[in-house]
Structure formats: C-alpha cells, structure tokens
Amino acid sequence: MLDRLLALKEGDTFLVADPWGDLRGGADGLFDRDSRILSRLVLLVGHDRPSRLSSAVSDDNVFFTCHATNRPLPPMGGRSAPGGVIHVERRRFLWDRRLYERVRLTNHGVDPIVAPLSFEYGADFRDIFEVRGTRRERRGRTRPPVADGGRVQFGYEGLDTVERQTWLSFSEPPAALSTERADFRIRLSRGEQFDLFMEAGVEGGETPGRDRWRVAALQARLAMRAKRRRGATVRGAHSPRFNQWLDQSRADVALLTTDLPTGPYPYAGVPWFSTPFGRDGIITAWQMLWLDPSLARGVLTYLAARQADETSTFQDSAPGKIMHETRQGEMSALKEVPFGLYYGGVDTTCLFVALAGAYARRTGDLAFIRKIWPNLLAAAGWMTDHGDSNGDGLIDYARAEDTGLSNQGWKDSEDSIFHADGAYPKGPIALLEVQAYAYSAWRALADLSALLGEGSPAAWSDRAERLRALVEDRFWMEDRGFYAIAVDGEGAPCRVLGSNAGHLLFSGLPSAERAGRVTERLLSGRFRTGWGLRTLASRQPRFNPMSYHNGSVWPHDTALGVAGMAHYGERDAVALMLGELYASAAHFEMRLPELFCGFNRQTGEPPIPYPVACMPQAWAAGSVFLMLQASLGLSIDALARTIRIDRPCLPAGLDRLTVAGLAVGETRLDLIFQRVGSRVAVWPRHQGGPALQLDVAD
C-alpha cells in the first residue's frame, strides 16, 4: 500500500501523487476539468529525492503531508551535511482550481547548513483519456514555456481552440530558474526553520506567501467541514476503529461531492472518474439517503437538467434518457470520444425514477417531485418507447456505434456478460439488475402519481407486475435456484451465477421463496470470500478473482445485495457481512477501494488489492451506510411521519450505536441502538419539531 497514489480533490480539480508528493508523468498529475495541467513536479534536496519517513492525507481529506529527511548533501561553501539532519515537511492542499504547497525545512544538525533545494516541473496538457492510454493522431500546439522572476508559465492551444495555461510560482526568487527547474539555496542556522511556498494553477495570481496559504487553507477546511456535517451522523460507542471507518467513509463522500449550481453531486472516483456519472451518483445518493437526502435532491436536479431530448447514435441518446457520464476535456469537446455528454448506460434512466420515489418517501418533498415530474414522465417514455428495443417487455441495450460502451450495465467490461459456455451473447441484451431497477421505477411512478394526483397509478402498478412476472419466467433457473444474469437478443438466458441477483433482491421483485434460495446461494462459499461477495461465483466460465468484473469484490455491489437480503427479513447475515467489509476496510487504511480481488480470506493474510482501483470511490465509501441501515432494519416514511425499525442487529463487537441529528421534515431526533442480551433495543431522543411515530418490531 505504500506505493499507491494519494489523492486530493476540490471541485473539478484533483491531484494524484506518489507518497513523496511527486508527480512523475505516469498516471499521476494535477488535473483541471479533465486536462492534466501539471505532469511533473519533483522535489530534490541535493541531487536526490529526500528519504521519506511518512506520508498521508489528513482525516478530513484536505491536506497531504509528507515527512522526509535529507540524504548526505554535497559541500556547499563548507563542510558537507550528513544525512538525517534536515527535516523536510511537504504540505499541500487544493482550493479554487489551485494547488498550494509549503515546503518547510528545519535544521536539526549541530552546524549551519546550506541546503540545495530544487523543483523539477512540466505540463503536458494531456486529456485524461490520453493519460488513461487512448492514442491520438493529432494534438494541439504546446506554447514555449516562459520563466520570469519567481514563476513559470506553460501554455497549450488545443485542437478545440481552447487556450489552457498553467502558472507555477514561488514565494522566494530561485537562485536559478529555467522552464524545467527551479534551484534554491536555503541557509539554515542550527535549529532554524524555513518555509518556501509554491502555487500552481490555471491563473497567475499573486506571489505565494504565508498569508495566502493560511487564508486559502482555512477556506478549504471550512468548506470540507460543511460538507461532512450535512445530514445525520452515526457513531459506535467504545469502537474507535469502527468509528474511524465511518469517519473516513463520510470524509470520502464529502471529498468527492462537488457543490454544483444544481446542488451537491458525488463524483464517481479519483483519478479516472472524477466527474458526474449518472449511475454512480444515483447509487451513492441512495446509500446516503436515510442520513442526508440533500445529496439525492442534488443528483436528481442535475440529471433532470441533462436529460436527453434527441436521438444520437454517437452519444447513445434518445428522448427521455438520463445521462451516463459527462466530461470537459479536449477529446470530448472534439468528439474523439463520446463522453462529453454520454447516455450509454441502460440502467441510469430506471434508477433516476426509482431514486425519485425513494427520495419522496424519505423526505415528503412533493413540491420538488412535482417540479421534476415532466422529467420522470419523459424517463418513463424512454423506458417504454426506446428501452425495450425488441418489444419483449424487458429493458435492453445494444451500443449504436463502436465508440460507445459494448456493455452498458454497471459491469461494463467487454467480457462481463456471457453464456454458460463462455460465449458472448448477441444483442440486444436485457440485464437482470436493470429489470430490477425498472420494476422499482414503475412502482415509484405508481406511488408518485397517486401522491400528486397525476395520471393513473393503477397503470404504473400494472407495468410493474407484468415485469415481475416476466422476470420470474424468463430469468429464473429452477435447477440452479438462481437467476440468470441476462437474456440475449434471441431470448436465451445467460445461465451464469452472478451478483446481479443481489440487486434484484434490493428491488423486492422476487417471491419470498426464491429470494431465500438466492440469499442462501449468495452467502455460500462460491460467492462469499470472507471479505465480501464476489461479482461472479467461483467455477463459472470466465471466473477470475483478479478480473475487473468477473470474480472481484466491489463493496457497493456487496452492499446492494446485502440490503436486498434485509428486504426479505434477513438480519444476522447482514450484520455478519457488514463485519466482513469492516475487516476489509481495516486492511485498506479504513478506506474501501473501488474493488479488490476476490480470493478467499486466509488466516493472518489481508485482502489482495486490485492494482488500478480508484481510491476513493464514492459508492464504495457509501457502502457502509447502506449496510448499516440494512442491519438496523431502519426505514423512514416522511409522508406517514413514521420511522420503522424491524428486528435491528449490530455487527459483532459493536454493542451500542447512535444515529444523531436524524431529520424527518421539521423533526430532529437521535436514535440509540443498544445490545441487550440476544436482542438489540432502540431508544429515541427527541430534539425538536412535531412528534414522529416510532414503529419498532423486535
């Protein structure tokens, strides 16, 4: 874990660097709006990188700090300095599209020292898809860098005619400055401390210095604090490690959440997915809904504003469809890739409608639902008119052009959907979990139309029930006691055991008997690793625990499946699985990655990381909160002014948990869950507002 990249993010700017804080031109860099505006930034003390002591990102995700010390230094007008006498502290943060960095040198030696300090730098202005490996036949024109006094300017005119600039500046004039390097000679008396400030951003700005650093640092920290304090909080009593997981997960959701004009939106993950994704944003908002409904409102508002109103094969769009992904970079603007505003996600439109229904039930905010009602109807229109391309009653997909995604569910790898013999299915493909989302969408529309007095609730309910019957008939494999992952364009089921069935449980579509059989299979050793649930059962064709989607463990996928089990009354297994994900988090410094390898848990050994997983990832961070809700059996119906708690459970080792500041309309209250013998009791503590009904089933 020591060699992994460490990330900071603020708005549409993010930075990934190695544990020294260096950028070396690989997958790292300072990115702004999908363009890498700084590709190299290496700190040298003498001729070498300093010897690193430790490095970390602060608990609130605002600051990166690296502690290091010098290696033996060459003579500089006197005796050479031995190694280990200069403490080098490198501290940085992002604010307002700008990197702020402070390098602090402290001389702990017995003699005065002249410390040679250098920065090497460069800006390649690569589009993020270039950094990820996409080749381009042509690029724009790189401007010759300009070094002047204490700053350097880099420039690039893209093929999209947009001028991009990076300014790098220092608080002290360097002894030597070029377009590639700045050299300083820092004189340090015994015990003396010296600070050098550096800034890099898209505008020149003022000269860096202590005051600018302090003001920007305070703004960055206050902004993050405000995001972390949205909604209710969850704390375990006498459980510092469990609370550390909760705190880190909440901080990661806050880090990835960008406050847009439409409201807060959780970007998917750093580094490759630091942008609004439809599916990821919806699921993250759903995971956090019981604690912080503002996230769901922000996601719904943003996606409604970008709902498709025309058909484009390049964008995979059709009227009423909800966005899958958006990008701001040069390649997207030039349509070298379709992701400037891309709709190639078959599930996002259904999830959009389903989240609206869940948000309405959680908040009672029917004024907002009425505002987006035309968008919900347009989404339903897409499901009816475009989502079912072959008229068999199932929502399906087939990419319209080769530039689009070949698989358009959440398992979007090229090899993630296949038949029992390993062969790829012919399109259009109807995914199991997409039918689950569509079922939830039709049910949501029935509820919302009744609440708003709009349309025919019975017609929406009828659609949901017809889809339920169709799924039970077309996807169920009686001989395997499980559901097929998909039905292909010829009507043949893909008879493969995948975690997709857990999403079906989450929707509440299966009968209780079939849900029980699916739960039993998901909790078997073929899916359950001891760290979470695999995306694909062992011994299936294409099973590979080191793959992206065919046998790895994705925390959000596990959480949805476990929450689905809870829907059918399962509690003990839910608490058990929560404990297993907690154990996984403990080995990843309390930050669950996007995914990790699906090998079985071995005594005394950690889970095996997936090499290029995003960390942090929004729906991985949100997983703990969805699983906690499922374990507590907690649901909120603001319209009925009721909180229901059904047979709550707590994971092993956690005997008391408090949900503080839970808001339901104008009412705020705390809920205390306490293990009492073999059961978990709950006590409300009213804080203010009209009384609520607390309905508890032991």
Side-chain angles (χ1 to χ4, degrees), residues 229-236 250 290-292 362 632 634 657-663 668-673 683 685 687:
R229 290 181 174 178
R230 288 172 179 157
T233 59
V234 186
R235 305 295 292 172
R250 198 63 180 263
W290 67 293
L291 296 171
D292 180 16
R362 167 63 180 87
L632 298 176
L634 187 152
L657 183 138
T658 300
V659 181
L662 193 65
R668 290 177 64 87
L669 76 161
D670 301 342
L671 295 173
I672 298 95
F673 295 84
W683 291 276
R685 187 165 57 202
Q687 290 188 356

Side-chain angles (χ1 to χ4, degrees), residues 290-302:
W290 67 293
L291 296 171
D292 180 16
S294 71
L295 210 56
R297 180 173 176 138
V299 167
L300 290 167
T301 304
Y302 181 90

Side-chain angles (χ1 to χ4, degrees), residues 275 296 443 522 577:
T275 188
R443 290 192 59 186
L522 286 173
M577 293 303 303

Side-chain angles (χ1 to χ4, degrees), residues 20-260:
W20 280 260
D22 289 339
L23 316 179
R24 301 170 68 85
D28 51 8
L30 176 63
F31 293 81
D32 182 76
R33 299 180 180 177
D34 291 324
S35 177
R36 184 161 66 182
I37 64 170
L38 200 64
S39 52
R40 183 169 178 81
L41 184 67
V42 177
L43 176 68
L44 303 175
V45 180
H47 301 301
D48 301 306
R49 291 210 291 178
S51 178
R52 187 174 67 88
L53 304 173
S54 71
S55 55
V57 174
S58 60
D59 290 343
D60 62 2
N61 283 327
V62 174
F63 293 97
F64 164 86
T65 304
C66 174
H67 294 279
T69 188
N70 67 295
R71 302 180 192 276
L73 298 178
M76 296 288 292
R79 291 187 303 172
S80 62
V85 297
I86 301 175
H87 175 221
V88 182
E89 181 194 68
R90 194 174 187 183
R91 189 165 170 84
R92 61 161 60 126
F93 64 93
L94 299 176
W95 180 247
D96 195 19
R97 304 181 70 189
R98 199 167 190 80
L99 166 65
Y100 291 80
E101 180 158 329
R102 184 191 69 197
V103 179
R104 172 170 287 175
L105 304 181
T106 306
N107 179 10
H108 293 284
V110 297
D111 298 313
I113 292 174
V114 178
L117 181 74
S118 301
F119 277 98
E120 296 178 349
Y121 38 73
D124 63 4
F125 296 98
R126 297 277 175 179
D127 186 281
I128 193 166
F129 288 99
E130 288 184 274
V131 179
R132 289 173 62 177
T134 302
R135 291 184 173 274
R136 300 182 68 189
E137 294 182 3
R138 297 172 55 230
R139 296 194 79 247
R141 185 159 63 98
T142 300
R143 306 288 191 191
V146 177
D148 178 21
R151 65 182 187 176
V152 182
Q153 179 188 8
F154 302 93
Y156 172 76
E157 181 185 4
L159 297 176
D160 57 356
T161 71
V162 173
E163 288 278 354
R164 294 171 173 87
Q165 293 184 341
T166 305
W167 293 79
L168 189 146
S169 51
F170 300 96
S171 58
E172 301 287 333
L177 179 71
S178 73
T179 58
E180 298 177 348
R181 180 177 172 125
D183 295 309
F184 299 86
R185 301 291 182 264
I186 311 299
R187 297 182 180 276
L188 296 169
S189 300
R190 178 181 176 181
E192 185 179 1
Q193 179 178 284
F194 176 85
D195 289 342
L196 176 68
F197 296 90
M198 185 275 292
E199 296 180 17
V202 296
E203 295 180 351
E206 301 176 13
T207 301
R210 192 177 312 278
D211 290 343
R212 282 177 55 82
W213 164 275
R214 287 176 172 172
V215 170
L218 178 62
Q219 291 174 315
R221 181 150 266 173
L222 289 176
M224 183 63 75
R225 183 181 301 172
K227 287 194 284 187
R228 291 182 67 186
R229 290 181 174 178
R230 288 172 179 157
T233 59
V234 186
R235 305 295 292 172
H238 313 297
S239 305
R241 289 286 281 169
F242 190 79
N243 287 336
Q244 186 183 352
W245 184 29
L246 295 174
D247 290 343
Q248 183 67 66
S249 300
R250 198 63 180 263
D252 285 352
V253 172
L255 172 72
L256 292 167
T257 297
T258 298
D259 288 327
L260 301 172

Side-chain angles (χ1 to χ4, degrees), residues 561-575:
V562 167
M565 298 175 196
H567 182 90
Y568 290 89
E570 179 61 63
R571 289 290 179 273
D572 291 337
V574 170

Side-chain angles (χ1 to χ4, degrees), residues 639-653:
L639 294 166
R641 298 200 53 74
T642 300
I643 297 178
R644 296 185 178 89
I645 300 172
D646 181 16
R647 293 172 296 124
C649 263
L650 291 173

Side-chain angles (χ1 to χ4, degrees), residues 440-654:
S440 296
W442 295 131
R443 290 192 59 186
L445 286 167
D447 291 344
L448 295 176
S449 65
L451 291 168
L452 298 179
E454 298 280 355
S456 172
W460 301 121
S461 294
D462 183 58
R463 283 187 179 276
E465 290 309 309
R466 290 204 308 267
L467 181 57
R468 181 206 293 268
L470 198 57
V471 170
E472 295 282 43
D473 178 58
R474 300 284 300 280
F475 288 84
W476 179 250
M477 302 180 291
E478 178 62 29
D479 59 328
R480 312 202 74 179
F482 212 73
Y483 291 90
I485 61 170
V487 169
D488 71 11
E490 297 177 339
C494 297
R495 293 174 52 83
V496 173
L497 305 183
S499 63
N500 313 55
H503 299 228
L504 196 68
L505 299 183
F506 183 70
S507 73
L509 184 151
S511 67
E513 188 272 334
R514 287 183 176 179
R517 295 172 70 181
V518 169
T519 295
E520 182 179 3
R521 181 61 64 91
L522 286 173
L523 293 174
S524 73
R526 295 190 65 184
F527 278 103
R528 185 176 159 215
T529 66
W531 303 116
L533 300 178
R534 295 185 181 100
T535 53
L536 184 69
S538 61
R539 304 197 303 274
Q540 291 293 282
R542 301 190 179 277
F543 171 75
N544 179 354
M546 300 174 290
S547 71
Y548 196 56
H549 285 128
N550 291 335
S552 53
V553 174
W554 288 64
H556 90 278
D557 181 50
T558 292
L560 284 169
V562 167
M565 298 175 196
H567 182 90
Y568 290 89
E570 179 61 63
R571 289 290 179 273
D572 291 337
V574 170
L576 176 66
M577 293 303 303
L578 176 59
E580 291 188 357
L581 267 193
Y582 166 59
S584 303
H587 286 285
F588 289 108
E589 300 175 0
M590 291 304 173
R591 169 181 274 174
L592 283 172
E594 175 189 16
L595 73 156
F596 47 92
C597 292
F599 292 103
N600 285 332
R601 186 173 181 172
Q602 301 294 329
T603 303
E605 297 182 11
I608 298 174
Y610 185 81
V612 293
C614 285
M615 190 187 298
Q617 183 88 351
W619 61 13
S623 297
V624 58
F625 302 107
L626 180 62
M627 293 185 75
L628 260 180
Q629 182 186 13
S631 182
L632 298 176
L634 187 152
S635 61
I636 300 170
D637 188 340
L639 294 166
R641 298 200 53 74
T642 300
I643 297 178
R644 296 185 178 89
I645 300 172
D646 181 16
R647 293 172 296 124
C649 263
L650 291 173
L654 183 66

